């Protein structure tokens, strides 16, 4: 006997720069259907949002007419469908709900967009999409609601590290690790001696992480040159250099994060934290975190759709089923 | 009455990746003539070295047949005219002379190439051309021969910082600051909100330096994102962003150098050091060094030709005139 399927209750959209991912969720937050599209906001022609939305979600809306729609990500940026101004840290789910912006489509559907989060300061930080993933993780992983607060890492082109406490995003950092890796590999001398390999080389990666951790005091602008000089001196093959550089950069990111933690008399060693992101990249970060003494860094699955679901419930767009204990 | 002109005694070549600069020097080391060419080693066809050399220096050799020729730079690399294997640190002028490699041209001239310097270790470092500039600076600036040793900075695509003592290059660091700046500006999201201005903005530059110095503990992978977010929050105009990013990167270079110095119970504050490089870039570094408390960082002029001259004298290729006191 299969469990009864919940009726569709929400269209949830993760709409970023390079792609659009749509989820048809039941009232219990479980995905009944998903659709992916390459209609990221940077790839659309002017006025292309509604068309891309119809193409991806039209069939669901035809079949289940009164469905609410909630979107998160760069779709709410100044270059998006409608700008949802940033909510400032410390930000909780209520603040995000209060900042939701509405669009009425030609079909008469209201599309609601979750705002991003801004932290002011000498180094201002912004996120769009990650705030929703973070609230998804908070809803599904009890360890993130520990009394002392929690740390969540979101590896990616622009990796984020967020400090959360009592249901609020208190502060966060952005490391351009992924984008810097690509720029160094494709547009500097470091790429000239590299060769891409099908399989990744875990030992070269760990060597990079350890070098950043132990000998990284001149900073990443200096250590990256060793990708080339370890090649010149016969200590790294061309095929090992990409993984070594990746390890160096992720190692420097964790070294920087360690410096931030040290100011609070804390460290990565022995810490529990959670990761959100694609599996291969989270595996890479977990391997690097282990070199910093952090052994408990599981990936929170389905954070995006769970975040959209939770915000929709908080906004009254969806009524969660009563729990039967 | 003009001073008598010394007879030509040396053809000195600074032959790098993107250009060739040739000096006709008198026995006293003073340049009698110079010629520039874009015939850098990466721009030459196979076997193009001799032709480029003849084109640049042929007229001098025709007029003064028995002239010795000494070259430094990437011309001695594996991709150069002939490979002059690296000399290892600590390296003095005698070690460079012993490592000189000779080429016989069709004309019957012997071209001698100065080797580069290699420092082994976890972060190996290499230089080609800078070692010659450093020996030029040592010959012309007495402050670099102080008992406790000296620090020389060579800003550029790959900036070098060398510790010299008793006429030896003891150790050095390479910071890929210039190349990273170009890669970030031209190939990441940071370039999208930037606008290049004819005049540089000193206050935006200093703001970048100060941010790296004071708030740079998450590391450069994190701080560079502020180039964008200070723009998003209206604190940096598009025209200020390139100078801010330049200040950030140079500030991180100096922060890294400070960490290196701190391990020797030393610092940049109050220190005397010397710079070698193009005037505009040295000015930029001097402004940044001042933010770190270093006020005595003059540029050593003519370091390249003085270095080639000094090594030629040391090698017995040129006899320096007796000093008349």
């Amino acid at each position: 006997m299969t469990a009864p399927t919940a009726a569709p209750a929400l269209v949830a959209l993760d709409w970023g720069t390079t792609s659009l991912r749509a989820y048809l969720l039941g009232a219990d937050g479980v995905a009944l259907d998903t659709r992916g599209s390459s209609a990221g906001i940077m790839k659309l022609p002017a006025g292309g949002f509604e068309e891309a939305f119809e193409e991806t979600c039209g069939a669901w809306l035809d079949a289940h007419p009164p469905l609410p729609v909630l979107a998160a990500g760069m779709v709410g940026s100044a270059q998006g469908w409608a700008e949802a101004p940033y909510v400032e840290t410390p930000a909780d789910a209520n603040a995000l709900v209060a900042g939701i912006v509405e669009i009425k489509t030609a079909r008469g559907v209201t599309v609601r967009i979750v705002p991003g989060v801004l932290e002011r300061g000498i180094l201002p930080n912004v996120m769009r999409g990650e705030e929703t993933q973070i609230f998804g993780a908070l809803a599904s992983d009890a360890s993130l609601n520990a009394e002392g607060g929690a740390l969540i890492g979101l590896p990616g082109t622009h990796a984020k590290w967020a400090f959360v406490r009592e249901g609020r995003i208190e502060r966060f950092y952005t490391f351009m690790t992924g984008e810097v890796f690509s720029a160094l590999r494709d547009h500097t001398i470091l790429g000239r001696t590299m060769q891409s390999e099908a399989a990744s080389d875990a030992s070269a990666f760990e060597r990079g992480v350890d070098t950043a951790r132990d000998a990284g005091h001149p900073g990443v602008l200096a250590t990256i040159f060793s990708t080339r000089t370890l090649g010149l001196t016969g200590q790294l093959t061309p095929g090992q250099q990409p993984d070594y550089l990746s390890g160096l950069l992720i190692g420097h990111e964790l070294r920087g994060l360690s410096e931030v933690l040290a100011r609070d008399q804390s460290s990565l060693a022995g810490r529990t934290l959670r990761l959100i992101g694609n599996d291969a990249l989270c595996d890479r970060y977990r391997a690097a975190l282990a070199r910093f003494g952090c052994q408990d860094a599981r990936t929170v699955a389905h954070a995006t759709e769970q975040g959209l679901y939770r915000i929709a419930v908080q906004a009254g767009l969806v009524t969660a089923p009563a729990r039967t204990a």
Side-chain angles (χ1 to χ4, degrees), chain A:
Chain A
M1 215 175 98
T2 54
T5 304
L10 178 69
V11 172
L13 305 178
D14 170 21
W15 204 334
T17 305
T18 57
S19 67
L20 162 60
R21 191 147 193 92
Y23 303 86
L24 182 67
L25 302 180
D28 54 358
V30 174
L32 305 171
D33 198 4
T34 68
R35 293 202 57 182
S37 146
S38 61
I41 74 153
M42 288 308 190
K43 297 181 177 172
L44 292 175
F49 289 96
E50 184 150 343
E51 197 179 325
F53 171 64
E54 277 292 329
E55 208 172 288
T56 307
C57 305
W60 293 341
L61 299 168
D62 289 342
H64 316 283
L67 284 181
V69 181
L70 187 64
M74 290 299 283
V75 68
S77 70
Q79 293 77 43
W81 196 352
E83 186 170 2
Y86 292 111
V87 164
E88 293 193 28
T89 54
D92 61 12
N94 284 330
L96 291 186
V97 167
I100 285 174
V101 163
E102 301 186 353
I103 300 158
K104 198 80 162 183
T105 73
R107 177 198 278 272
V109 168
T110 301
V111 175
R112 293 177 171 83
I113 302 181
V114 178
V117 176
L118 163 69
E119 181 181 348
R120 296 197 183 272
I122 293 174
L123 299 172
N125 264 297
V126 291
M127 55 168 63
R128 277 201 189 272
E130 293 93 345
E131 72 297 324
T132 299
Q133 296 179 300
I134 289 168
F135 283 107
L138 288 176
S140 63
D141 191 313
S143 77
L144 294 173
N145 299 300
E147 198 171 330
L151 181 57
I152 302 177
L154 302 100
T157 307
H158 296 170
K160 307 281 183 191
W161 282 95
F163 291 85
V164 296
R165 187 192 296 259
E166 294 172 5
R168 280 193 292 269
I169 299 171
E170 294 210 316
R171 59 196 171 106
F172 60 100
Y173 294 84
T174 305
F175 294 84
M176 288 180 59
T177 309
E179 194 171 15
V180 169
F181 175 80
S182 300
L184 292 176
R185 182 194 56 197
D186 299 339
H187 302 289
T188 74
I189 198 173
L190 301 183
R192 282 199 219 148
T193 52
M194 277 184 188
Q195 200 176 294
S196 289
E197 298 280 342
S200 74
D201 184 318
S203 72
F205 176 79
E206 288 187 357
R207 180 175 184 167
V209 173
D210 291 356
T211 298
R213 183 194 61 193
D214 300 333
H217 54 278
V220 70
L221 295 171
T223 61
I224 51 175
F225 193 59
S226 66
T227 312
R228 176 173 174 79
T229 57
L230 289 170
L232 287 175
T233 54
Q235 299 175 76
L236 274 184
T237 65
Q240 291 176 314
Q241 291 173 34
D243 281 306
Y244 174 77
L245 180 62
S246 166
L248 261 186
L249 295 183
I250 293 174
H252 274 286
E253 177 181 328
L254 297 183
R255 187 185 171 100
L257 183 63
S258 296
E259 291 279 326
V260 168
L261 290 167
R263 296 186 173 228
D264 295 335
Q265 278 75 49
S266 183
S267 79
L268 283 172
R271 175 181 276 271
T272 292
L273 58 81
R274 290 292 174 263
L275 297 175
I276 299 171
N278 88 53
D279 287 338
L281 196 53
C282 286
D283 284 347
R284 208 163 254 268
Y285 270 69
R286 232 179 330 270
L289 284 159
R291 310 299 293 179
F292 280 76
C294 171
Q295 308 288 350
D296 187 0
R298 269 172 292 173
T299 303
V300 181
H302 307 300
T304 307
E305 58 267 41
Q306 284 310 304
L308 285 159
Y309 171 74
R310 189 187 161 194
I311 293 166
V313 170
Q314 192 98 7
L317 301 174
V318 176
T319 306
R323 294 200 184 192
T324 52

